[in-house]
Amino acid sequence: MGLDKTPDLGAIEERARQLWEDTGIYRFDPDAPGEIYSIDTPPPYVSAAHLHVGHAMSYSQAEFIVRYQRMRGRNVFYPMGFDDNGLPTERFVEKKYGINKARTTRSEFRELCLKETGEIAIGYERFWRKLGLSVDWRLRYSTIDDHCRRTSQLSFLDLHAKGRVYRSEEPVFWDPSMQTALAQADLETITRTSTLHDIAFRAPDGRDLVISTTRPELIPSCVALYFNPTDERYQSLAGGRALVPVAGHEVPILSDDDVKIDYGTGLMMVCTFGDGADVQRWKRDGLELRLGVDAAGKMTDVAGAYAGLDTDAARKRILADLEAAGALRGSKKIEQQVAVSERTQRPTEFQMKPHWYIRVLDLTDELLARSVELNWHPDYMKVRLDAWIEGLKYDWNITRQRFYGVPFPVWYCDGCGAVVLATEDELPVDPLESSPVTPCPKCGGTAFVGDPDVMDTWMTSSLTPHINANWAHSPDRPPPAPLPMTLRVQAYEIIRTWLFYTLVKSHLHDNTLPWTDVMMSGWGLNEQGKKFSKRDLESKKEGQFNKYDPEDVIDKYGADALRFWAAGSHLGHDLRYHEEDVKVGRKLVLKLWNVARLVEQYAPDFDPSTIVSIAQRTPEDRWIVGQLERLLPVVARGFDTYDYAIARDALDHFFWAEFCDDYIELVKDRFWTEDSYTDAERASARSTLWEVLRTLLGLYAPFLPFVTEELYQYMYAAHEDALSIHVTRWPDAPAALTPEVPEIETLRVLLQAVRSERTRTRLPQGRPLTELVVDADEPATRATLEAMTQSLAAAARARSIRFGSAATETQLPGLRIDIVPEEKAEAS
RNA sequence: AGGCCCGUAGCUCAGUUGGUCAGAGCACCGCCCUUACAAGGCGGGUGUCGCCGGUUCGAGCCCGGCCGGGCCUACCA
């Protein structure tokens, strides 16, 4: 019996996990008492090779709140999903199995993806359990599973029924290397060096019209020239036409307020399509379509002699031809911002494709109102969403030309081209592998072509609340939580995507917010303050410790220690990872453990029914209880505002400085020198030690779920009726606080001064003093200290206390001390 | 170029509404194997609070302008 001198963290963690599993305390029961507290967790991509400690950080931060709310009596719904939708998975599987997509059906391919990602997800789940996430694993979902495909397709049907979905052939952002369309949110802007060429067109009167462009290969695709209407140099050209060099066709000359007079020559060309501005002018002014680049990034027939070349080759050729024709008037290097595909970093082109869109541009005001409704933590993150909403320029293009993904539940009638939608009870459906159950409602035809495209992955990710709520009524799902959910947890860089799209979906489907609160975590960064890179993890060799691998870190220092590190940055702020900080976490775990050993030693087999009332306790005991009571609202406020770091800081300070360093040191003497104290004083100490440790375990439980569980089970569970500390009541301060005991503060100052003097005079802390001289100017202070001579002498390790004249100042004005070491006293 | 966040000790970070606000932990140095803990205890801050102005009796905090970093936005051809 008795706690081991050194805890076996691995065994403790395993025991706790087993207990949680056996008792099912994290399983959601819709009928359980308490207000429902539901969490919309980010489904991590499972195609990535490794998790890093940054993942541990952000998921831990959310989990602190979850555990706190559970102890607050909320009925917690805490699911976890995995994102195995999308391109990384597709590429991974394609490569691994050497798939020829022409000979594989979507469903066969999907099965392989599910198999692969399922295996990776098992490893992920194992890790999340190891980290101590209190997830109800029955709620696990996969974004490509039947339930999620059904939910996504139902979302499409519902939005279609509501008139929110439309199909249109328009210029779409296009990634030529992936050969798929992209949405506005899939783009990034990079800065690169480019060459701006001055090229002469020809006016009808034969004069040169020089424009500047970085993309001369699009000259055959030129459909107009533009100038600013206030630019006197070109006003006479309005309504006229210009001859395009080399290509030889004519284009209209138009004006536009947005043309910068001082850029280049003030005259510009518009092509179909060089950039988004071209698209806008093309649409607005009804320009001709001369698509110059095809889906694979090669020049089209429009490019004449350059057809079939890729854009770079065409650019070189046409520059040479322009030069030969005397149309190239100059070239210079410039810094240029260019839109690239976020995933491939390739500059985007435009393609004309029939695509499905969700109309969102008219929702700006409504979405901004939703943003106001939402409780943002931290609140300044709100402006990021608002800025995105206000900057929207395009409806949401939900079509992607990928093989793998959620198909559209759509067929096109072979006879009349009518769109035929699947019915709800057919979902999930793959239109390439099945047909409508009824003939075409328009022409009665029975031949159909399934829509070959798949949905943008955000079509699914934006539905995580609906997936969790089983909005689609999929069979065999565990009990769902109602919508809206309580909390969304995510990092700030995907506000414009995940948060925005989720908001759109809930607004359109349910006319509500998806959740009431949102909590933004920052990023875990490596020691250099950079994002974790593949290299940070790839250096890992089998069986070798990698400081960024969270499983390795847990094996070495314990899960509680890693979680402790995660609590080190304020909400929404990035946190650099240092192994040293995890060691501090382990130190805390060991300290708690040793305090428990001390309590066990001084208060063995404590019977809570014999607890001494606060009023009956000694000043030291009333002091620490009063301090603890004053700590409670600080910790609670931290958790209530999602600022777990405030909670941790306050808790750590109380535990280390007040409880361990001072209170325990003060109280020890009662058990060491029996004769100097009464049994009542010892009983008071036992009650206090027992009680304060119990409260501390509760307060630390959200951060350190393992060690607190172990100690709770060992010392307290038998006296309470809870299965686990994690379902015990959160400690609240009593209505009437225990009065503060200021004399103990004076005592602490005095002890600090004694310790400091010992250091200064190189006197070991443990060596007894013959005498401690205390000099207090204030009679009240002196009287207070005189009443506590016993404790003071014991804690200062002084054989006697004398009140007289002393010279060493303490931190308290008017209070001085002197110490008389043994040898010196004997000599005098 | 614009928006938001950040810049405090060697490192990671606290510093509510301007008035013991120059702080914590780590690291480092010194002493101590004192009966919970040497994977420990005790003591020690080592600083131009990014820079320059302004408001104020008083600025790490408020205002303006710079510099540096991050995230996001942007059609400059």
Side-chain angles (χ1 to χ4, degrees), chain A residues 217 219-221 247 249 289-295 298-309:
Chain A
E217 74 275 18
I219 281 175
S221 296
H249 62 289
L289 181 66
R290 296 175 65 92
L291 207 55
V293 181
D294 70 11
K298 307 277 191 208
M299 303 309 293
T300 63
D301 290 345
V302 166
Y306 313 106
L309 295 174

Side-chain angles (χ1 to χ4, degrees), chain A residues 199-200 216 219 245-246 306 317-328:
Chain A
I199 290 162
I219 281 175
V246 176
Y306 313 106
R317 290 271 296 274
I318 198 168
L319 280 170
D321 293 344
L322 286 163
E323 174 107 61
L328 181 61

Side-chain angles (χ1 to χ4, degrees), chain A residues 47 129 230 278 438 579 597 624 641 691 709 745 794:
Chain A
S47 47
R129 286 178 184 271
T230 64
D278 286 352
T438 53
E579 198 177 337
R597 291 182 62 218
I624 196 68
T641 58
E691 215 173 57
E709 182 75 279
E745 300 296 339

Side-chain angles (χ1 to χ4, degrees), chain A residues 57 61 492 521-525 529 568-576:
Chain A
M57 182 193 96
Q61 289 175 349
Y492 47 76
S521 65
W523 291 350
L525 303 174
S569 84
H570 281 261
L571 187 61
H573 288 197
D574 299 343
L575 180 62
R576 287 195 196 192

Side-chain angles (χ1 to χ4, degrees), chain A residues 275-348:
Chain A
D275 59 25
D278 286 352
V279 173
Q280 285 181 1
R281 295 194 176 102
W282 174 79
K283 280 173 89 165
R284 185 190 63 198
D285 298 338
L287 302 173
E288 189 188 352
L289 181 66
R290 296 175 65 92
L291 207 55
V293 181
D294 70 11
K298 307 277 191 208
M299 303 309 293
T300 63
D301 290 345
V302 166
Y306 313 106
L309 295 174
D310 67 31
T311 49
D312 286 344
R315 185 175 312 149
K316 288 196 184 96
R317 290 271 296 274
I318 198 168
L319 280 170
D321 293 344
L322 286 163
E323 174 107 61
L328 181 61
R329 299 299 165 82
S331 304
K332 63 173 177 182
K333 296 278 183 208
I334 57 160
E335 288 289 297
Q336 184 194 27
Q337 328 291 323
V338 55
V340 297
S341 160
E342 185 179 36
R343 196 160 291 288
T344 63
Q345 297 291 306
R346 278 233 0 206
T348 52

Side-chain angles (χ1 to χ4, degrees), chain A residues 199-221:
Chain A
I199 290 162
F201 284 49
R202 182 145 302 163
D205 61 6
R207 81 187 241 214
D208 280 350
L209 298 173
V210 180
I211 59 102
S212 302
T213 181
T214 54
R215 301 203 60 186
E217 74 275 18
L218 289 179
I219 281 175
S221 296

Side-chain angles (χ1 to χ4, degrees), chain A residues 542-651:
Chain A
E542 195 60 31
Q544 210 174 49
F545 177 75
N546 180 303
K547 63 186 172 185
Y548 297 130
D549 183 321
E551 291 207 51
D552 282 7
V553 173
I554 288 175
D555 289 342
K556 189 168 176 185
Y557 299 109
D560 285 335
L562 182 58
R563 294 169 60 103
F564 175 87
W565 163 72
S569 84
H570 281 261
L571 187 61
H573 288 197
D574 299 343
L575 180 62
R576 287 195 196 192
Y577 177 78
H578 290 281
E579 198 177 337
E580 292 305 313
D581 297 331
V582 181
K583 290 184 187 172
V584 177
R586 185 184 53 179
K587 201 172 128 181
L588 170 64
V589 169
L590 296 178
K591 192 75 172 176
L592 269 171
W593 184 264
N594 282 307
V595 167
R597 291 182 62 218
L598 175 135
V599 173
E600 185 186 33
Q601 181 187 322
Y602 291 151
D605 304 317
F606 185 81
D607 178 358
S609 68
T610 66
I611 206 148
V612 178
S613 73
I614 304 292
Q616 306 280 309
R617 296 194 199 172
T618 69
E620 293 90 342
D621 297 348
R622 280 184 282 113
W623 169 73
I624 196 68
V625 170
Q627 294 299 104
L628 178 58
E629 287 169 0
R630 283 164 183 79
L631 168 73
L632 296 176
V634 177
V635 175
R637 192 164 58 245
F639 282 119
D640 284 333
T641 58
Y642 298 98
D643 208 337
Y644 44 80
I646 286 179
R648 196 198 84 176
D649 287 350
L651 195 45

